[in-house]
Amino acid sequence: MKRIDPIVSEKTFTLTNNATGETYDLPVLEGTIGPQVLDIRALYRDLGIFTYDPGFTSTASCDSGITYIDGEKGILKHRGYPIEELASHSDYLDVCYLLLYEDLPSPEEKEQFNWSITHHTMLDDQLMTFFRGFRRDAHPMAIMVGIVGALSAFYHDSTDIYDPMQRMLASHRLIAKMPTIGACAYKYSIGQPFIYPRNDLSYAENLLYMMFATPSEEYQVNPIFAKAMDRILILHADHEQNASTSTVRLAGSSQANPFACISSGIASLWGPAHGGANEAVLNMLGEIGTSENILEFIERAKDPSDPFRLMGFGHRVYKSFDPRATVMKETAKEVLNELGMVDDPLLEIAQELERIALKDEYFVSKNLYPNVDFYSGLILKAIGFPTNMFTVLFAISRTVGWISHWKEMIGDPDNRIGRPRQLYTGEAHREFAHVTHRKHTKKPIWSWLWGGKKNES
Ligand code: ACO
């Protein structure tokens, strides 16, 4: 499929300088669907001014044909396919192929792709020794950032970003090796031996097998868990220009190798405002403890002087509902039902919290709805994952989204290094003073550091 360039609309948008009366016409670009975009690329060159948009709330940083979101209507599509249909009828590797190669695979393509992913799941044996360098209590996301970054030191035959074959090899390696790395991080943290991947298992089954099997006994993957895992992977596979994807694109725009770029995406995903939210949801539900305490937490979330937020609520883009949350809620009920956990106290608290918040004027007026993370943690907990692994699983599924955006960007002839500008608000000019002539009235907050007696170990 050919890349579709944005259309330059016949319409223009006119800026008027109220002081001088001068006008300036901005071109308007149109995609296939979605809002029109003002093309401001020549603004600084022609007028000497920048635009100001912290958090990029009104800025399209690129054009992309991978994912479309309509936040007002709660629509999410990958390459034109609604997420609900993909979640119901596809498996994760189908969706990976779709994101990477622009179309769903034919039976032959599916077989070849599955073979390639399955046969790249192992890690270089020397890389296995890296895990032992981490403390046992290291957060698995810290291990992920380190090990994925270290892949660049092992797979030199897939770091030339200008060679399409090397780009493909790096993409397949990353998708294939992420579950192995995530499972090893977990096994290391609990002191169990690493479990090697099995080629007769599907992607989701292999992930569960490497996580939960031990060498001492037969392990059967629960098919309900495998189906739920596959659906969670699909629902998190891509979400257009979110913080971690934009991080990967920005890192890649400097021509950094793909392993380093994906490592930067993992770092960005780690934060509780992004991928760390499902871990935070479960911690919050545990803290709430019983339904009687819900109102107290709702009041805290509404209090502007309290930093507490309802985790799993709100989204930068979705302002009516998050379509992934709808599928996730159903999956949570299916899994908990199958396990005979319909009366799970955390599920009860979650449902009650959602019910109360959706009627509350504060949440309604600010368009705050449950997002994908609100229910995913409950499913993962039921399967047996510890909370600190939740973001790792998110990173595993999002790797295909990151790598698809990276690949799209490298193939874009308009790609340039990302370099935002700023509105400078610091000192305009100062005369240099020798250290003996400097006087500071404020004691630096880090002064306690030099009070220490010894080097930190
Ligand atoms: N609980 C209580 N109030 C909230 C919440 C929340 N979860 N989310 C937003 N608000 C309030 C803010 O206080 C703000 O109020 P104000 O206008 O009175 O100042 C208003 O709603 C808008 O919030 P912003 O932070 O400006 O919205 P933004 O789009 O920047 O943030 C975000 C979106 C980060 C997701 C936010 O809703 C949040 O922190 N949610 C909780 C964390 C979470 O669930 N993150 C997962 C996101 S999904 C994902 O990454 C896969």
Side-chain angles (χ1 to χ4, degrees):
M1 215 183 277
K2 211 182 142 299
R3 185 177 173 274
I4 304 169
D5 286 324
I7 301 160
V8 182
S9 167
E10 285 172 8
K11 296 171 214 152
T12 54
F13 196 89
T14 306
L15 286 181
T16 307
N17 183 331
N18 289 334
T20 63
E22 279 173 311
T23 60
Y24 180 80
D25 283 343
L26 286 169
V28 174
L29 302 179
E30 287 174 1
T32 30
I33 38 175
Q36 295 178 327
V37 171
L38 295 182
D39 183 350
I40 56 163
R41 279 174 292 184
L43 199 63
Y44 180 65
R45 186 196 67 201
D46 294 350
L47 298 185
I49 56 171
F50 294 140
T51 53
Y52 182 62
D53 186 16
F56 309 117
T57 50
S58 299
T59 297
S61 60
C62 60
D63 60 274
S64 176
I66 301 173
T67 291
Y68 172 72
I69 301 174
D70 182 332
E72 307 304 321
K73 297 194 184 124
I75 293 172
L76 167 62
K77 291 180 181 179
H78 295 315
R79 306 270 188 204
Y81 294 100
I83 189 66
E84 296 85 349
E85 286 188 29
L86 292 171
S88 307
H89 308 303
S90 273
D91 62 29
Y92 178 66
L93 286 187
D94 246 8
V95 175
C96 287
Y97 190 96
L98 175 68
L99 294 173
L100 268 178
Y101 300 116
E102 306 177 18
D103 220 338
L104 286 166
S106 67
E108 295 76 34
E109 288 164 339
K110 190 172 167 72
E111 196 184 327
Q112 284 167 11
F113 183 64
N114 287 9
W115 191 94
S116 177
I117 297 301
T118 306
H119 288 79
H120 281 107
T121 47
M122 284 179 60
L123 300 178
D124 184 300
D125 206 46
Q126 201 182 344
L127 195 58
M128 303 307 267
T129 61
F130 276 45
F131 288 92
R132 302 191 194 288
F134 287 93
R135 282 170 56 125
R136 291 265 182 212
D137 62 356
H139 194 289
M141 283 298 274
I143 301 181
M144 297 298 286
V145 171
I147 301 278
V148 174
L151 293 178
S152 5
F154 283 81
Y155 298 101
H156 302 301
D157 58 348
S158 51
T159 52
D160 177 357
I161 65 164
Y162 296 111
D163 178 343
M165 289 307 287
Q166 293 207 24
R167 290 206 296 264
M168 188 189 74
L169 187 55
S171 306
H172 290 202
R173 277 182 171 148
L174 276 156
I175 295 166
K177 292 184 197 309
M178 284 293 280
T180 318
I181 299 173
C184 287
Y186 173 59
K187 287 295 191 191
Y188 180 71
S189 73
I190 56 169
Q192 284 189 5
F194 299 140
I195 298 293
Y196 288 93
R198 257 178 45 190
N199 288 358
D200 61 323
L201 297 178
S202 74
Y203 192 90
E205 287 170 341
N206 224 345
L207 173 58
L208 296 173
Y209 169 73
M210 289 188 285
M211 283 282 306
F212 299 118
T214 60
S216 43
E217 57 187 1
E218 185 79 10
Y219 177 82
Q220 290 294 333
V221 179
N222 180 327
I224 294 151
F225 290 177
K227 188 174 161 227
M229 194 67 244
D230 195 73
R231 195 169 278 178
I232 289 177
L233 292 168
I234 292 175
L235 293 177
H236 286 92
D238 189 47
H239 213 229
E240 55 121 301
Q241 313 307 324
N242 53 82
S244 55
T245 304
S246 299
T247 305
V248 170
R249 276 188 178 258
L250 202 54
S253 76
S254 75
Q255 300 163 15
N257 77 68
F259 304 108
C261 295
I262 300 304
S263 177
S264 72
I266 298 171
S268 167
L269 187 76
W270 193 356
H274 190 6
N278 55 6
E279 183 176 345
V281 170
L282 226 66
N283 293 338
M284 176 188 76
L285 294 177
E287 217 184 307
I288 294 174
T290 63
S291 300
E292 292 84 69
N293 298 334
I294 290 177
L295 285 178
E296 180 198 326
F297 279 81
I298 297 251
E299 288 313 310
R300 280 188 60 196
K302 288 157 55 174
D303 180 355
S305 61
D306 188 331
F308 173 76
R309 285 184 169 199
L310 274 195
M311 298 316 287
F313 262 77
H315 197 277
R316 169 62 62 79
V317 182
Y318 293 119
K319 298 301 170 199
S320 59
F321 67 96
D322 179 342
R324 302 166 302 170
T326 315
V327 183
M328 200 64 91
K329 185 175 176 181
E330 286 316 305
T331 311
K333 282 190 184 160
E334 271 168 39
V335 171
L336 297 178
N337 237 335
E338 285 294 338
L339 292 173
M341 289 169 64
V342 267
D343 299 331
D344 182 63
L346 293 187
L347 178 67
E348 270 177 26
I349 295 172
Q351 285 179 322
E352 184 63 3
L353 186 65
E354 180 186 5
R355 200 186 58 75
I356 297 174
L358 290 183
K359 282 193 189 151
D360 191 293
E361 173 54 21
Y362 173 91
F363 292 93
V364 173
S365 65
K366 292 186 188 297
N367 297 316
L368 299 170
Y369 296 86
N371 58 47
V372 66
D373 289 323
F374 192 65
Y375 282 101
S376 63
L378 287 168
I379 308 175
L380 297 174
K381 180 173 174 280
I383 292 176
F385 288 103
T387 44
N388 66 359
M389 279 299 291
F390 291 1
T391 321
V392 172
L393 296 166
F394 193 162
I396 292 170
S397 41
R398 185 53 59 85
T399 295
V400 69
W402 293 330
I403 205 77
S404 303
H405 281 271
W406 171 82
K407 180 171 165 270
E408 182 181 66
M409 183 189 69
I410 302 288
D412 181 350
D414 291 337
N415 175 38
R416 304 171 70 192
I417 187 167
R419 177 57 169 91
R421 301 304 300 267
Q422 63 171 13
L423 175 64
Y424 178 68
T425 54
E427 299 279 353
H429 180 75
R430 293 165 121 180
E431 293 299 333
F432 182 82
H434 187 267
V435 66
T436 51
H437 294 108
R438 292 175 213 157
K439 288 195 187 94
H440 284 292
T441 47
K442 279 184 271 174
K443 198 171 183 192
I445 53 164
W446 35 269
S447 60
W448 60 270
L449 265 180
W450 63 61
K453 301 269 181 298
K454 58 181 168 97
N455 289 347
E456 193 176 50
S457 63

